[in-house]
Amino acid sequence: MQKRWTIKKHNQDEVKKLAGELNLPLIVAALLIARGYETEEKAHRFLNPSLDDLHEPNLLKGMETAVRRILKAVENGEKILIWGDYDVDGTTGTVVLRKALELIGGKTTFHIPHRFTEGYGINIPALEKAKERGYSLVVSVDCGTRSFEPIAWAKENGIDFIVTDHHLSDEIKGNPDAFAVVNPNQPSCEYPDKHLAGVGVAFKLAHALLREKGRENLIKGFLKVVAIGTIADIMKLTGENRAIVALGLKDLPKAVNYGLKALMEVADCNNEMTSYDIGYRIAPRINAAGRMDAARHVVELLEAETFEAARSIAEMLNSRNRERQTMQRQITELAFLETKGITEKNFVVVSGEKWHRGVIGLAASKIAEKLYRPTIVFSIEDGFGHGSARSAGGYHLLNGLDSCAELFEQYGGHAAAAGMKIKADNIEKLQERLHAHASENLSEEDLIPEVKIDAVVTTQSLNLDLVRHLKQLEPFGMGNQKPKFVTRDLFLLDNPYVMKEKHLKMRLADQNGKQFEAVWWDGIDKSNGQNLHRKSQIDLAYTPEANTWNGNTRLQLVVEDLKTK
């Protein structure tokens, strides 16, 4: 698919000024200004994240009410149930809150609903069991904002319910009738950072509780787990999240938690940790628990009391992740077959009988990325479609779902991702309605993938020193993407080399003969329509990286896109 390149322009005087003030390379100063850190103070703070960047927990609406109720429960010896979501965000948040409560003497257990037998959010049958077992307080993590009926049931049956979450409130109904709702994205909450993950909100509650008991010095130790959940949930790595993730990543190699150590070992992450390591090595193995089996294994892993027990669970998660990868490939191939004939739609909806519900979201991501259309993939079971949606083109998914809310049995999510349940008979109507809504809210330009280029870089500046300078901007992720550059007038020295039947490796040179190595992941598919051969002249959009193999470190250009001349 043809992509449009948007190349940022830089004011050279401003760049030189900031570079001089902070003794930075010009390219780093230019990137800081383009990301909104144009003053010496802003840039210094961005480059040096610290605990001082964490906001006051009580700025969160409902926090003081939640803290008072939990402390009362601890003092009275009440049984507290922590109810977490089944993804990485929810399971890591459950671990954080459980540990904080343990440190102040709380008696807790946890419930992570099974993705397939219980589904997302709070459910009454599990609350009934909690009541039977004597639980008088339930605290949710990363869910509950739209669980109106179950929370109303809890109140009627003598259970106080505290919601901690980050998902958007219902625009009409507002919040459920909980004892307290702690959510930066709820109406009239003036918390200064709206981008906390669910684990981040749980961490703020943990911080407030520990502070009340004089144990605030322990909060830094929680950041390793909070960083994992924040990255995995693809939250913006700016503001408070940047501090959480930067500090957490720095401490991860020194982790003493048996579960973290075992997980890093099976994922081959034993040295310096980056957001890439979390997003592509650690998080998929944690997520595999909820996708393929029971997510409670994640909590058991991170609470394991011996390394042997942790290693056993980590190996199991590793195995589940391999199963997930195989299943994902199969379902994605089937889903792509179903997209034939509907590619003219501005919202893609596909479905299949009993597709594995644990991977339909990953299939939706692949389709949305390739077709550049918001996408829902449904698994049809017993007359109902269980769906997972991913956005594209800047389309706000939740607004789209809200426009046809009456078609769903239930749904929830945010701008970029959502989940839902619908009667199978309504799927065709849903396709029509969402196509209409997307057509009204997306322009033709929105539906052409955009590659945002940070700067044009000459071959003279392209070396390992550039990569070292860029490390100052880490951690990279949503809201602070890895810098992408363009270098013009490169030539292919040979025909591209095909790796594993889908990736391309290229040897390039400039007009003076300076050579570079480039790799294009999924390049066979992405280069469709491009005539690449020896002596092809190209403009290359890429991210520069350091590639270490057998002790040797070389510059590698990771291709984002290219244009032949």
Side-chain angles (χ1 to χ4, degrees), residues 240-450:
E240 188 169 20
N241 281 346
R242 178 172 171 80
I244 287 170
V245 170
L247 297 172
L249 288 176
K250 188 176 179 181
D251 276 354
L252 260 173
K254 299 176 283 186
V256 295
N257 178 280
Y258 294 129
L260 284 178
K261 290 175 71 173
L263 192 59
M264 288 190 289
E265 190 174 292
V266 299
D268 197 25
C269 295
N270 296 313
N271 299 314
E272 181 183 5
M273 296 289 286
T274 67
S275 52
Y276 176 90
D277 293 314
I278 302 300
Y280 291 91
R281 294 182 176 182
I282 299 293
R285 288 169 169 84
I286 296 178
N287 238 335
R291 292 188 185 282
M292 306 302 293
D293 198 352
R296 64 177 294 112
H297 295 314
V298 177
V299 181
E300 292 166 355
L301 169 74
L302 296 176
E303 293 184 352
E305 295 183 358
T306 65
F307 182 75
E308 290 71 23
R311 178 73 195 202
S312 176
I313 300 172
E315 291 282 10
M316 181 268 290
L317 294 182
N318 201 39
S319 175
R320 292 289 182 271
N321 190 50
R322 286 195 295 269
E323 292 173 21
R324 187 272 306 169
Q325 290 171 324
T326 300
M327 188 66 68
Q328 179 186 336
R329 283 193 295 270
Q330 294 171 350
I331 299 302
T332 302
E333 288 170 6
L334 290 171
F336 268 120
L337 289 174
E338 292 293 321
T339 66
K340 291 182 178 178
I342 61 170
T343 51
E344 75 282 358
K345 298 288 188 182
N346 287 338
F347 198 118
V348 175
V349 178
V350 296
S351 61
E353 285 289 334
K354 295 186 177 179
W355 285 351
H356 197 295
R357 278 195 257 160
V359 299
I360 55 176
L362 303 172
S365 292
K366 291 289 186 183
I367 294 171
E369 179 185 352
K370 183 172 182 179
L371 302 183
Y372 210 65
R373 298 289 188 274
T375 300
I376 300 177
V377 176
F378 282 108
S379 173
I380 307 299
E381 300 172 29
D382 301 321
F384 290 94
H386 302 269
S388 190
R390 296 293 184 271
S391 184
Y395 180 78
H396 197 296
L397 268 178
L398 197 57
N399 289 348
L401 301 184
D402 284 341
S403 73
C404 42
E406 76 281 2
L407 294 179
F408 297 106
E409 300 298 301
Q410 61 187 68
Y411 70 95
H414 44 77
M420 69 288 297
K421 181 179 179 182
I422 191 172
K423 290 179 180 175
D425 293 343
N426 284 338
I427 291 178
E428 187 174 343
K429 190 180 294 183
L430 178 69
Q431 165 79 87
E432 295 169 3
R433 294 273 295 276
L434 289 175
H435 167 66
H437 187 270
S439 299
E440 290 173 5
N441 289 277
L442 292 172
S443 66
E444 287 186 16
E445 188 177 68
D446 289 332
L447 295 171
I448 300 171
E450 179 185 20

Side-chain angles (χ1 to χ4, degrees), residues 24-28 457 459-472 485 514 516 544-546 553-556:
L24 293 171
L26 292 174
I27 187 66
V28 175
V457 173
T459 53
Q460 289 76 24
S461 304
L462 195 48
N463 50 42
L464 281 172
D465 279 342
L466 174 63
V467 177
R468 282 191 281 270
H469 292 319
L470 295 178
K471 282 178 69 67
Q472 296 177 78
F485 302 128
K514 184 178 180 181
F516 303 94
E545 293 185 354
T553 300
R554 301 195 305 270
L555 177 69
Q556 178 175 270

